[in-house]
Amino acid sequence: MKAGLPQNRNSRLMLSGKLPCELLQNHYQVSISRHEQTALTFWDTFEWGMWFGGYLLYSSENIYHLCKLKDGWLGDEICSEVTDILPRFKEDFKTGRMQKILTGILGIRGLATVFEGTLNQLQLEIRNDYGKIICRLDCSTISSKRAGNEKPPYSCCRVTPLMGYEAESGNIIKLLARYQTDESQEGPLELLFKQMGRKPCRYTLRPVFGLDFKTPAREATGKIVRSILSIALSNLPGLLSDIDTEFLHDYRICIRKIRSLLALIKGVYPDGAVSDIRTQLGEMARSTNRLRDLDVYLLARGEYLEMLPPQLRPALYSMFDEVAAERKLEVKNLVLDIQSAAYQNTIEGIESFFSETEMHGPSLSADIPVGQLVFRQMYRRYKKICRMARAIDAYTADEMLHQLRIECKKLRYLMEFFRELIDDTDIVAMQKILRSLQEILGEFNDTSVQQKTILGYFNSKRDDIDIALGIGGLVSILYYRRQQSRRRIVKVLNSFCGKGMSVVFKRNFKQKKLNPKV
Amino acid sequence: MKIISSYSIKGGVGKTALAVNLAFAFHETGRRTLLLDLDPQGAAAFYFRVGNAKKLNMDDSRTIAADLRKNIRESDFPGLDIIPSNLAYRHFDVILNGMSKSRKQLRKVLDEFRSDYDTILMDCPPNITLLSENVFRASDAIMVPVIPTVLSQRTLEQLFSFFRDEELSCDMLHPFFSMAQKINKMHREIIEELPQAYPGFLKTVIPFSVNVEKMGIRRMPLLAYSNNCEAALAYRSLCNEIISITKSDPHS
Ligand SMILES: Nc1ncnc2c1ncn2[C@@H]1O[C@H](COP(=O)(O)OP(=O)(O)OP(=O)(O)O)[C@@H](O)[C@H]1O
Ligand SMILES: [Mg+2]
């Protein structure tokens, strides 16, 4: 069945409610030339990548249609693809145009349903007194599954005048315009999505907290924790239904960020409670470590296989199969974990500890300006990293680089939390170099972990000569890469600790001794 | 783009019926088709429920084309457009005349539509004027309905001799029988003999049919409401003949 929407050159009107057919019939001869009703499902990522990219992806039976998003409604169709599987990732789409656009939008994110309903398409021919068609009218409505048979809130009409009948058709447009919706804030599709409890919203791991230098430290901490915790929790549904690997990744980042923040703000809350929460968060993150490692492998599957000559690749298929099987188990365990009463209790405990209304006893740093507290921390971390960097060369032990990476991460989190307090141009420069330092340290870390795991896998398959060959190939490439990373680390560290950057860090974070009289 | 006209010196022989149904048949093959109604009576446009054209404002071939373009009406059948007639066409002659006495002026005008249409069909009034001479020189084929009667033979011969006198190519002329009645002995005999004298005579015979007459009531081409009757099939077959004679390309 053809379910593509009409695409014309002409006037579109958004009417509230149904098309006023009787009204048209009072003035014109109206006949139906097409009437189709199809189930349709809209798809998007957790980040609403399609929506904010200006696209809509919907399926109707096994046809996927990619459209422009226009005035909050279906715009022109760009392409469509018939598929027999339930596509979730960009690679599940096979045709050129579709794949190209989706690759740009989805990245490694997966698609999930955002709306299910019925698309109703009606085409009318409108004739004048001579019986001549003067225009065609395409009208589409969408009603949501959940709202049942309720009347659709909107009709999208396109009037296509026949050439030579533009003026006559103008009267029809005028007639319909009386039923046009007010320019409300919410677009028509958005309103439908809302019926399903969904609303397109921007997603970020780096929200604005609304802080300044003078915000009392405890108030600032509460704001940051609440905000990041809610991002962590917003990832849980996607994590539970295992839509893509980013849910876990972001969840872990949020948990680690909170944990790291709590370590850096000693004295803001009474001792004891905070360290318990840190322990709980640490446990939460740790219990997902293995799953994340497995995700990283599976994501690198294509890249790994490509490193090897084709004849060596099949030997590694079984390795990835084993990883995939183990991953399945890990997901199952994690789901049980998250759904457990213990987990719920922990989360509720943390939430209420940091809630705006919770009263805590006094503590040393609760009321000092947060800037004063954290700038000192940032400068201290920077200097610590520089100290560690001085001892690093091409022969430094892996463990040392690992420590360095952790220090960098702490500094980066701090700067992220409090970037509202820092000079706009300086923060860009500082974050840029910090990011490249972290990237390269991360790459180094990944290659060492991967090498270790692959060798571990090999230990259990020693008698398989094909696997031995494949693994040998991989390990040597990983080793080579690791050595390359080392050289680059030294280089980036030099500029991170060099005169230029150290001036910037000092300027921003080194505080003058407080006036002893105050 | 091929330009085909429906022409006869005689009135009431089925020129308009041909133009309307041939236009429809061309559109059915996927060719973008324009029907240009040059007869001030406006019968062709009437069959498509289209009213008169606005006044044309003619100076040279470019502005004529632009004015014609403003008068294009999309028919109810996507891909088939119509330029309805206008009483001012009576003065078309005078205007073309004033322009340089050129008999090729109409061709120039229609060339402006080359990128928009694959076929242009012209329905002409029954006379020989400067306009009809322009039509002759603009056309790739001229289709001439002939009712199988003795009188029609005479008018057909007049047309051919006019062409010879004016040094127009007789190869363009394609007579065919219109409103033929099989039960009529005289019709049968003329259908048998007449084509032998004219190499361009088309094979298809359009039968006399009440279905065709009903076009006036239905106000649409015969092919649109009586898809499979003998007359409808004959119009399609005529269309195929003229497609192969003019080597008309399908729309890409
Ligand atoms: N094949 C046919 N069978 C029956 N009637 C026909 C047929 N062809 C045309 N007619 C009818 O004959 C009449 C004249 O036909 P038509 O208008 O096509 O001729 P014409 O040559 O265009 O006339 P005019 O010279 O007035 O423009 C019309 O009423 C038409 O319906
Ligand atoms: Mg006529």
Side-chain angles (χ1 to χ4, degrees), chain A residues 120-152:
Chain A
N120 204 316
Q121 292 168 275
L122 189 67
Q123 192 179 61
L124 303 175
E125 287 170 348
I126 310 231
R127 294 169 193 271
N128 62 14
D129 291 344
Y130 302 104
K132 172 76 185 75
I133 301 178
I134 57 173
C135 65
R136 297 198 170 83
L137 202 151
D138 290 289
C139 180
S140 55
T141 61
I142 297 175
S143 44
S144 86
K145 207 173 176 179
R146 192 164 297 179
N149 275 340
E150 245 174 74
K151 84 173 188 155

Side-chain angles (χ1 to χ4, degrees), chain A residues 280-342:
Chain A
Q280 290 168 337
L281 292 169
E283 187 44 49
M284 273 179 180
R286 226 181 345 273
S287 70
T288 64
N289 279 353
R290 182 64 186 159
L291 181 52
R292 177 61 195 167
D293 282 349
L294 299 174
D295 280 345
V296 171
Y297 281 119
L298 289 171
L299 287 172
R301 185 180 194 272
E303 189 198 346
Y304 274 16
L305 291 175
E306 249 167 51
M307 287 185 208
L308 292 175
Q311 66 271 27
L312 293 186
R313 291 175 195 171
L316 290 187
Y317 293 163
S318 61
M319 179 175 94
F320 285 108
D321 288 347
E322 278 181 34
V323 172
E326 190 190 342
R327 181 184 181 279
K328 238 183 210 160
L329 274 177
E330 281 292 328
V331 170
K332 216 184 236 169
N333 288 337
L334 181 60
V335 167
L336 287 177
D337 229 21
I338 289 173
Q339 288 172 334
S340 71

Side-chain angles (χ1 to χ4, degrees), chain A residues 130-365:
Chain A
Y130 302 104
K132 172 76 185 75
I133 301 178
I134 57 173
C135 65
R136 297 198 170 83
L137 202 151
D138 290 289
C139 180
S140 55
T141 61
I142 297 175
S143 44
S144 86
K145 207 173 176 179
R146 192 164 297 179
N149 275 340
E150 245 174 74
K151 84 173 188 155
Y154 289 101
S155 309
C156 176
C157 283
R158 291 194 201 210
V159 179
T160 313
L162 266 58
M163 203 194 315
Y165 295 91
E166 292 82 359
E168 254 180 280
S169 303
N171 292 328
I172 292 167
I173 295 173
K174 263 189 227 146
L175 206 66
L176 291 175
R178 286 197 248 148
Y179 292 80
Q180 212 158 358
T181 55
D182 326 325
E183 293 292 317
S184 70
Q185 287 301 96
E186 274 161 329
L189 269 180
E190 231 174 309
L191 209 92
L192 279 164
F193 291 174
K194 212 164 121 186
Q195 291 184 352
M196 304 276 278
R198 302 298 303 272
K199 181 177 169 53
C201 56
R202 298 257 178 206
Y203 171 77
T204 174
L205 273 174
R206 294 173 198 82
V208 175
F209 305 107
L211 308 176
D212 60 41
F213 188 90
K214 292 207 178 81
T215 311
R218 190 182 284 176
E219 183 189 325
T221 309
K223 275 185 175 167
I224 297 173
V225 173
R226 282 195 296 277
S227 166
I228 298 197
L229 187 60
S230 85
I231 298 173
L233 298 179
S234 74
N235 277 286
L236 286 183
L239 202 165
L240 290 172
S241 33
D242 195 20
I243 290 166
D244 62 44
T245 55
E246 288 298 277
F247 290 99
L248 176 65
H249 187 45
D250 287 5
Y251 169 78
R252 284 165 51 84
I253 288 176
C254 291
I255 299 295
R256 282 202 312 253
K257 274 188 179 174
I258 299 172
R259 191 165 178 271
S260 161
L261 176 68
L262 297 184
L264 301 169
I265 47 117
K266 293 213 175 66
V268 170
Y269 291 93
D271 287 342
V274 168
S275 93
D276 288 350
I277 292 176
R278 283 199 70 233
T279 314
Q280 290 168 337
L281 292 169
E283 187 44 49
M284 273 179 180
R286 226 181 345 273
S287 70
T288 64
N289 279 353
R290 182 64 186 159
L291 181 52
R292 177 61 195 167
D293 282 349
L294 299 174
D295 280 345
V296 171
Y297 281 119
L298 289 171
L299 287 172
R301 185 180 194 272
E303 189 198 346
Y304 274 16
L305 291 175
E306 249 167 51
M307 287 185 208
L308 292 175
Q311 66 271 27
L312 293 186
R313 291 175 195 171
L316 290 187
Y317 293 163
S318 61
M319 179 175 94
F320 285 108
D321 288 347
E322 278 181 34
V323 172
E326 190 190 342
R327 181 184 181 279
K328 238 183 210 160
L329 274 177
E330 281 292 328
V331 170
K332 216 184 236 169
N333 288 337
L334 181 60
V335 167
L336 287 177
D337 229 21
I338 289 173
Q339 288 172 334
S340 71
Y343 180 89
Q344 290 306 322
N345 284 339
T346 310
I347 292 292
E348 277 162 30
I350 299 173
E351 273 177 329
S352 70
F353 185 89
F354 290 102
S355 88
E356 249 171 308
T357 52
E358 184 73 12
M359 301 298 284
H360 296 283
S363 65
L364 199 61
S365 310

Side-chain angles (χ1 to χ4, degrees), chain B residues 12 15-17 39 41 43-44 123-126:
Chain B
K15 295 183 294 293
T16 301
D39 186 343
Q41 295 174 70
D123 185 27
C124 305

Side-chain angles (χ1 to χ4, degrees), chain A residues 5-169:
Chain A
L5 286 171
Q7 339 187 329
N8 290 314
R9 29 190 158 119
N10 340 311
S11 338
R12 255 168 58 118
L13 296 153
M14 223 56 222
L15 310 182
S16 55
K18 284 178 96 168
L19 180 73
C21 261
E22 304 76 38
L23 183 81
L24 289 172
Q25 278 162 340
N26 289 342
H27 297 80
Y28 301 93
Q29 298 175 37
V30 178
S31 53
I32 296 176
S33 51
R34 190 164 79 98
H35 187 191
E36 246 173 50
Q37 215 168 18
T38 27
L40 99 170
T41 306
F42 284 100
W43 299 89
D44 212 327
T45 62
F46 178 62
E47 299 168 349
W48 293 87
M50 306 294 311
W51 180 275
F52 289 114
Y55 295 99
L56 288 167
L57 180 70
Y58 72 93
S59 64
S60 176
E61 287 168 22
N62 62 342
I63 307 172
Y64 281 72
H65 302 266
L66 181 65
C67 285
K68 285 257 170 64
L69 171 65
K70 190 169 179 267
D71 308 330
W73 191 255
L74 290 155
D76 289 347
E77 183 164 318
I78 297 163
C79 55
S80 65
E81 185 174 319
V82 179
T83 158
D84 293 325
I85 57 165
L86 202 64
R88 193 188 316 158
F89 296 107
K90 57 177 196 273
E91 58 270 21
D92 296 334
F93 293 92
K94 304 295 179 203
T95 53
R97 197 94 189 278
M98 186 73 104
Q99 213 187 33
K100 195 168 165 224
I101 294 173
L102 291 189
T103 298
I105 291 178
L106 301 188
I108 58 171
R109 297 238 66 153
L111 291 165
T113 303
V114 294
F115 177 88
E116 280 178 288
T118 307
L119 172 66
N120 204 316
Q121 292 168 275
L122 189 67
Q123 192 179 61
L124 303 175
E125 287 170 348
I126 310 231
R127 294 169 193 271
N128 62 14
D129 291 344
Y130 302 104
K132 172 76 185 75
I133 301 178
I134 57 173
C135 65
R136 297 198 170 83
L137 202 151
D138 290 289
C139 180
S140 55
T141 61
I142 297 175
S143 44
S144 86
K145 207 173 176 179
R146 192 164 297 179
N149 275 340
E150 245 174 74
K151 84 173 188 155
Y154 289 101
S155 309
C156 176
C157 283
R158 291 194 201 210
V159 179
T160 313
L162 266 58
M163 203 194 315
Y165 295 91
E166 292 82 359
E168 254 180 280
S169 303

